[in-house]
Amino acid sequence: MSRRKNNVGTLFTPTVLAASVVFLLILFCTVCAGLLAPYDPEAIDLSSAFSGPSPEHLFGADNIGRDVLSRLLYGGRTSITNALLVVLVSVLGGVPLGLLCGYYGGWLDSLVMRVWDVILSIPALLFGFILVAMLGRGSAASVLALGIAYIPMISRLARNLTSVEKTKTYVTAAKSFGFSDARIIFRQILPNCTSTLFAELTVDIGYAIITLASLSYLGLGVQPPTSDWGMMLQEGLVNLRQMPFLVVAPGIAIVLTIVSLNIVSDGIQAYLDPEQRKLPSFRRYEKKKHK
Amino acid sequence: MNTLLKVSNLKVDFMTVRGIVHAVQGVDFSLNRGKTLGIVGESGCGKSVLVKSILRLHEEQKTRCSGNILFEGHNILDLSPREMLAIRGVRASMIFQDPMISLNPILKIGEQIAETFRARRSMTKGQAAEEALRLLKRVGITPAEERYHQYPFELSGGMLQRVVIAIAISLEPEILIADEATTALDMTVQKEILDLLKWLRKEKGMSLIVVTHDFGVVAEMCDSIAVMYAGKIMEYGSARQIFNDPCHPYTRALISSTPSGAKGGKLISIPGAPPELYEPQTGCAFYPRCSQAAERCRESLPAMHSASGNHVFRCERPQ
Amino acid sequence: MSTIVEVKNLKKYYSIKSADDRSHKSELKAVDDVNFLVNREEVFGIVGESGSGKTTIGKLLLDIEAPTSGEIVFEGGKTGKQMIFQNPYTSFNPALTLGRSLEEIGLVHKLGKEETGKRISLLLEQTALTEDVLKRKPKELSGGQLQRLAIARALLLRPEFLVADEPVSALDVSVQAQVINLFGELKEEYGLTILFISHDLTVVEYMCDRIAVVYLGRIVETARTEQIFRDTLHPYSQMLLASRPKAHPDDPDSEPLENETTNTVRIPDGCRFFPRCPKHISGLCDKIDPPEKEVFPDHFVSCHLYPKSPKAAPADADAAEAEDGTYVI
């Protein structure tokens, strides 16, 4: 009987560690925007318009003198929260549907999956446009639109995982014990899919941040005075010549968030797979054990 | 002396997510030309690891080997990756339980064999195809001309295992290692494959190492037998010695737990399960499951004792 | 002796798409007109190779699959039959603790928490396992422990009839013995009837009271175990016996099998075994499907090589003989 924990090797390889630190830092700063931001992000102070970095404004101020650091923090909060909401919507819609399609197969599966093929052939952003056009612009509409746009991806993954799981003997065994289909799907199959789904969702949060930013950039997402990173990009672009930093700052924020999320997600997946996990060298392991 | 392979004090450790597994803990044996050695034991006893290290098939970064594997005087463990290429598949090859490990699912089976000839024997396309077809016939694949153009998924497990054997012997190796190669096959197919291996041994003078948990296969095939437990050889001898006069309690228990004959009383079973090999052992590894265990078995590692001639066993309290 | 299961003309066909022509569908006759009955408290063995349909028979008996046609008469309640699978690691849900896997069954069948717990404790004791296995996930147990737990799981609802599909093939010999012994003990304890599906003649010979040999979806020979091993009639059964590896290195080498195994999904006309049969009679075996005959009392075989025993079915013996007479040798 194997009572040993499979805890040799680490999730936190130097890269993953750095990425997690970066992401947690971003998360912490944006969540605590209210505490950390030196100014009200919407406070206009024309006297310091276009001022470069200074002790008063660490990252400078924009065309109408709003503090860039404060706007980055608050904007990040909006971006990340909305991205999480997008993923939540897509999970609530996509996972149950995917489980059902994968388990029952047949015409339901063919139909749903063909519809998803069509939707997935349209870029998520474009699909967002269409839905926003139907639902109206604004934060809630864009979150809902993207959430729906992501359903195909999530449900296809859930469906593929389920169609593999359902052929396994434990499902046959559950059937032979008279388990209902609902019980088999949600209490037997679903627990076997969660870790893969989770890794996928981490990446999706990153995508959602980009796409939401794009919608905001185009003026379809959050509406002023609320702001997110996409909105900041758009506003900065007008003043690109005077102060390129107004574009660079939110751009860097977006890239850092997404790259760090991707690295963390890959790291988790590699850690969960005993074949892929990064293990210490013999010498290092034995040295540590002797201590 | 006609020793082809001599393994001495071989140790193999693996780094895993649960710690270091001491899979092989000092194994010695030798194999003569044209002879068959059987390695038997329960799953997890290290038998598969042992034979894979002969071809150095382990992931090098996570493996640590020490000792000697002398193949015609050269220590396999010291060879460069380039030198290994001249041995692996050429002078020693291996077949596995799942034939698909060794096959490419998207290539026609004939082409896969022909490919070996073209790459290793620098034959022309035509020559290689001809040679491949001849080989398919030799391993009993009928109708060979038709099968040549089929893909692996079109063939049954037994046929695939024949194809794998064809590839394995294509360069006429001196050693063929069969790692549970017939375990997943039907009884009648197993017999055919075993007959094929016997024929190869006779015809080509090939040496065989048969890794199995099935004493029937060993009785059928082997000249000598090594019984492995927890990374060590517990008993070694000729097939006849092991079957007629098993000395180690583990060997005896294995032989008597095989059901034979009609319905009868209880079978003798070995209680418990083999140990995990994360920690180095202080006493006899079989001690917790042994019916003859005594206090000293727990305290000190048993030494190898000689029963007669080549027949040795690792136990302090044989009956 | 009373009967617990009777299977009449059972058929299960799957439609498969052929590899070359996807529009062309053909039928895979996994189980093709199978008849047998199982007596109470006996161990009935079904022996055959892969593709013989033996696992499908088990699934049909447990209603996991629906038959294409035919009838299964089962004298027992809805929870009266359970199945044990070949590989315990895949037959338990890898994501759940074993305790949870067992409790779910109690939950589904509304046994109540207390009763479920009581039954689990008793079964753990009977299968020589400790309570702490319940907190573990399947991969933390050895194969033997897990298969014993699989047997405990199957007995949780107190069935009368167990279908055991290759229950020891995935286990080491040393552990096989533990599980085989356990079957023996629990059979006595619970008065079980067991349908034991296996490809391993040695295990079947040891375990079973009666045996049916199946080949490509059809039973070719049925008899009591000692009878079938003494007077093996069907050439296929003989071939199976001859392929057993020898038990001792000094035993004489067996003859090589005369005919190659063929890779047939397509069932031939006439006797389905004739292409592999070393004794087939051309003009007869390749044309006419042999009927089942009782050659010795309770020893049935479907093969043209054997005349119908005069002792069998005296009522219509004349008619049968006239019918058979044309081609019996």
Side-chain angles (χ1 to χ4, degrees):
Chain A
M1 198 187 297
S2 180
R3 289 169 193 220
R4 293 178 72 94
K5 295 217 161 64
N6 53 352
N7 56 2
V8 176
T10 175
L11 164 63
F12 297 106
T13 58
T15 336
V16 176
L17 183 67
S20 336
V21 170
V22 168
F23 180 69
L24 287 177
L25 212 62
I26 295 173
L27 199 65
F28 174 77
C29 294
T30 49
V31 166
C32 304
L35 295 172
L36 294 174
Y39 297 91
D40 179 343
E42 280 136 37
I44 299 169
D45 173 14
L46 288 173
S47 65
S48 50
F50 294 127
S51 71
S54 66
E56 289 88 62
H57 299 284
L58 276 178
F59 281 12
D62 68 2
N63 55 337
I64 47 177
R66 292 176 295 190
D67 181 56
V68 173
L69 178 60
S70 306
R71 288 181 65 70
L72 267 184
L73 294 176
Y74 276 99
R77 188 165 74 178
T78 317
S79 278
I80 293 176
T81 318
N82 284 349
L84 287 172
L85 288 172
V86 165
V87 169
L88 186 70
V89 170
S90 64
V91 166
L92 290 179
V95 171
L97 198 58
L99 287 170
L100 293 177
C101 288
Y103 188 74
Y104 290 108
W107 65 266
L108 170 80
D109 182 37
S110 311
L111 180 75
V112 172
M113 288 305 136
R114 290 303 81 75
V115 172
W116 288 169
D117 285 345
V118 173
I119 294 180
L120 283 172
S121 68
I122 308 169
L125 183 62
L126 193 61
F127 189 72
F129 284 171
I130 300 170
L131 285 171
V132 168
M134 286 157 62
L135 300 169
R137 53 177 67 187
S139 179
S142 61
V143 164
L144 193 61
L146 272 194
I148 294 172
Y150 281 3
I151 285 179
M153 216 152 56
I154 302 286
S155 78
R156 190 133 87 169
L157 178 65
R159 179 251 179 205
N160 290 346
L161 290 171
T162 309
S163 62
V164 172
E165 290 298 317
K166 77 165 176 186
T167 60
K168 295 193 176 164
T169 319
Y170 75 84
V171 173
T172 314
K175 278 187 204 162
S176 80
F177 282 105
F179 283 35
S180 67
D181 285 354
R183 195 174 206 95
I184 290 175
I185 294 171
F186 292 103
R187 301 194 65 163
Q188 300 282 323
I189 292 180
L190 183 58
N192 283 290
C193 305
T194 42
S195 61
T196 314
L197 282 172
F198 181 74
E200 170 71 21
L201 293 179
T202 327
V203 182
D204 286 352
I205 294 172
Y207 288 133
I209 291 176
I210 289 201
T211 322
L212 281 171
S214 316
L215 282 174
S216 300
Y217 176 80
L218 295 165
L220 299 171
V222 292
Q223 298 299 314
T226 329
S227 181
D228 68 359
W229 289 338
M231 185 84 126
M232 289 178 72
L233 274 177
Q234 188 225 8
E235 290 169 351
L237 203 63
V238 183
N239 305 298
L240 188 64
R241 277 161 199 266
Q242 287 95 321
M243 197 179 168
F245 188 67
L246 290 182
V247 174
V248 174
I252 289 178
I254 291 174
V255 169
L256 275 181
T257 315
I258 291 162
V259 170
S260 62
L261 263 178
N262 265 313
I263 294 174
V264 171
S265 165
D266 284 353
I268 293 175
Q269 264 176 308
Y271 183 77
L272 289 177
D273 180 356
E275 297 293 314
Q276 270 190 46
R277 189 189 298 180
K278 179 120 177 75
L279 296 174
S281 69
F282 282 95
R283 200 185 298 158
R284 195 176 217 182
Y285 177 81
E286 279 166 351
K287 215 163 137 194
K288 203 174 139 198
K289 221 176 132 191
H290 275 294
K291 278 182 190 168
Chain B
M1 269 303 275
N2 222 342
T3 309
L4 185 61
L5 182 75
K6 188 168 167 52
V7 173
S8 49
N9 199 21
L10 179 68
K11 293 180 180 160
V12 184
D13 295 340
F14 287 116
M15 183 57 86
T16 73
V17 294
R18 291 173 196 272
I20 295 176
V21 177
H22 306 282
V24 176
Q25 309 178 354
V27 158
D28 308 89
F29 68 84
S30 59
L31 177 66
N32 287 355
R33 262 178 218 285
K35 293 293 178 192
T36 303
L37 168 71
I39 301 180
V40 262
E42 291 169 279
S43 45
C45 69
K47 54 191 193 300
S48 228
V49 174
L50 169 63
V51 290
K52 275 189 195 143
S53 47
I54 295 173
L55 289 187
R56 283 225 327 242
L57 293 176
H58 303 300
E59 211 178 320
E60 306 254 327
Q61 286 169 335
K62 294 181 186 170
T63 317
R64 181 171 61 185
C65 298
S66 67
N68 289 306
I69 303 175
L70 292 177
F71 180 66
E72 296 202 311
H74 302 285
N75 189 354
I76 295 264
L77 296 178
D78 293 339
L79 297 181
S80 68
R82 210 190 155 79
E83 288 168 313
M84 267 322 285
L85 281 183
I87 290 188
R88 208 181 283 145
V90 185
R91 307 189 57 192
S93 41
M94 188 154 172
I95 51 179
F96 300 90
Q97 178 168 349
D98 177 5
M100 283 314 290
I101 287 178
S102 331
L103 292 173
N104 183 337
I106 56 163
L107 278 184
K108 291 175 180 171
I109 59 160
E111 287 169 1
Q112 305 199 30
I113 303 175
E115 181 56 34
T116 322
F117 288 122
R118 293 186 62 197
R120 296 303 188 89
R121 288 275 152 92
S122 16
M123 289 184 182
T124 64
K125 211 168 177 178
Q127 280 175 322
E130 209 172 288
E131 198 62 17
L133 194 62
R134 202 175 56 82
L135 198 57
L136 281 180
K137 284 179 185 157
R138 275 245 312 265
V139 296
I141 288 177
T142 50
E145 287 81 1
E146 196 181 304
R147 300 277 184 225
Y148 187 97
H149 297 287
Q150 285 184 322
Y151 293 94
F153 76 91
E154 296 177 86
L155 271 63
S156 68
M159 281 293 167
L160 286 180
Q161 201 58 290
R162 281 170 199 260
V163 174
V164 170
I165 292 177
I167 294 174
I169 63 166
S170 57
L171 301 173
E172 310 206 335
E174 284 124 291
I175 298 186
L176 180 64
I177 301 170
D179 185 1
E180 300 275 10
T182 59
T183 306
L185 300 175
D186 279 323
M187 210 67 116
T188 53
V189 185
Q190 162 167 301
K191 175 165 170 55
E192 286 169 0
I193 298 288
L194 293 182
D195 285 346
L196 172 64
L197 290 177
K198 281 185 199 165
W199 179 80
L200 283 171
R201 177 176 61 187
K202 207 172 104 193
E203 205 74 359
K204 294 275 156 199
M206 216 176 262
S207 304
L208 285 179
I209 298 181
V210 178
V211 175
T212 178
H213 66 278
D214 185 344
F215 264 92
V217 172
V218 178
E220 194 73 46
M221 300 288 298
C222 299
D223 302 302
S224 52
I225 298 175
V227 180
M228 255 187 109
Y229 187 76
K232 292 195 180 73
I233 291 181
M234 289 301 195
E235 184 162 4
Y236 176 88
S238 72
R240 202 165 281 128
Q241 285 165 337
I242 299 282
F243 273 89
N244 290 341
D245 181 28
C247 290
H248 198 285
Y250 179 61
T251 315
R252 282 204 298 274
L254 272 185
I255 292 176
S256 54
S257 61
T258 314
S260 64
K263 208 164 163 136
K266 270 194 160 187
L267 287 174
I268 296 166
S269 68
I270 310 179
E276 293 186 321
L277 305 173
Y278 293 107
E279 305 292 336
Q281 282 134 17
T282 47
C284 175
F286 189 56
Y287 156 79
R289 304 172 73 190
C290 183
S291 57
Q292 272 125 44
E295 197 54 27
R296 64 176 159 150
C297 301
R298 198 184 53 165
E299 283 157 3
S300 62
L301 282 172
M304 268 294 190
H305 296 274
S306 175
S308 62
N310 280 335
H311 185 185
V312 290
F313 59 93
R314 195 183 286 282
C315 178
E316 301 294 342
R317 286 173 63 91
Q319 273 192 331
Chain C
M1 222 179 324
S2 66
T3 313
I4 186 163
V5 173
E6 185 170 7
V7 171
K8 291 181 208 158
N9 305 101
L10 190 64
K11 289 182 186 169
K12 177 69 183 176
Y13 296 170
Y14 297 98
S15 68
I16 46 166
K17 289 180 183 139
S18 83
D20 313 321
D21 177 9
R22 303 212 78 203
S23 62
H24 177 259
K25 279 189 183 175
S26 55
E27 272 184 331
L28 174 74
K29 298 182 175 179
V31 177
D32 193 13
D33 198 3
V34 160
N35 298 279
F36 63 88
L37 39 88
V38 184
N39 298 315
R40 253 176 216 284
E41 298 192 23
E42 77 172 345
V43 183
F44 183 71
I46 292 191
V47 196
E49 296 182 293
S50 53
S52 62
K54 57 190 194 299
T55 296
T56 313
I57 294 176
K59 286 185 176 169
L60 290 167
L61 280 172
L62 275 218
D63 309 323
I64 295 170
E65 304 227 19
T68 307
S69 69
E71 207 182 339
I72 299 167
V73 184
F74 176 63
E75 313 279 339
K78 201 173 160 224
T79 58
K81 44 188 182 180
Q82 290 305 339
M83 188 150 180
I84 293 161
F85 301 87
Q86 174 170 4
N87 185 342
Y89 288 104
T90 58
S91 76
F92 277 101
N93 192 328
L96 306 182
T97 63
L98 295 163
R100 171 88 193 279
S101 277
L102 294 183
E103 283 154 15
E104 284 273 297
I105 296 168
L107 215 62
V108 167
H109 290 276
K110 304 195 170 58
L111 288 183
K113 215 170 171 160
E114 201 181 321
E115 174 66 16
T116 312
K118 235 164 52 189
R119 287 190 189 186
I120 292 175
S121 304
L122 178 67
L123 281 163
L124 285 181
E125 198 188 307
Q126 285 166 334
T127 49
L129 293 165
T130 49
E131 296 271 346
D132 72 1
V133 300
L134 298 177
K135 291 190 218 96
R136 303 186 183 281
K137 298 257 177 91
K139 63 169 187 250
E140 295 173 57
L141 263 64
S142 71
Q145 286 175 317
L146 207 53
Q147 194 63 300
R148 298 208 301 267
L149 194 68
I151 297 172
R153 174 174 73 169
L155 294 177
L156 195 61
L157 298 172
R158 305 265 160 85
E160 301 163 74
F161 181 58
L162 274 189
V163 173
D165 184 7
E166 300 268 14
V168 298
S169 322
L171 306 175
D172 279 310
V173 268
S174 57
V175 181
Q176 258 186 25
Q178 293 173 6
V179 174
I180 290 174
N181 287 338
L182 183 64
F183 269 113
E185 288 159 22
L186 293 175
K187 188 183 158 306
E188 295 301 313
E189 185 80 34
Y190 289 84
L192 290 170
T193 309
I194 301 173
L195 184 87
F196 194 90
I197 300 169
S198 179
H199 73 283
D200 186 338
L201 287 172
T202 316
V203 173
V204 164
E205 184 180 10
Y206 186 83
M207 281 287 297
C208 302
D209 301 306
R210 276 196 312 134
I211 294 176
V213 180
V214 285
Y215 183 73
L216 288 184
R218 180 82 56 90
I219 292 179
V220 295
E221 187 166 3
T222 321
R224 292 200 60 78
T225 307
E226 58 282 6
Q227 167 66 19
I228 208 168
F229 277 89
R230 189 175 57 231
D231 294 309
T232 315
L233 296 179
H234 200 281
Y236 177 62
S237 315
Q238 291 167 353
M239 187 186 271
L240 280 181
L241 271 179
S243 352
R244 278 213 269 197
K246 51 193 184 186
H248 193 283
D250 288 342
D251 293 349
D253 279 345
S254 54
E255 291 295 310
L257 302 178
E258 284 177 44
N259 279 38
E260 295 298 337
T261 42
T262 45
N263 182 22
T264 45
V265 180
R266 216 183 64 80
I267 292 172
D269 291 335
C271 171
R272 50 195 67 206
F273 184 60
F274 97 85
R276 286 174 71 184
C277 183
K279 300 176 184 167
H280 79 265
I281 306 159
S282 11
L284 173 61
C285 295
D286 50 357
K287 296 226 161 57
I288 300 161
D289 204 359
E292 190 173 71
K293 295 168 230 177
E294 187 171 11
V295 177
F296 298 109
D298 281 328
H299 188 162
F300 297 88
V301 65
S302 304
C303 179
H304 291 303
L305 293 172
Y306 302 98
K308 191 162 184 165
S309 158
K311 275 184 270 179
D316 58 352
D318 290 341
E321 214 142 13
E323 192 192 309
D324 292 357
T326 48
Y327 52 82
V328 158
I329 42 165

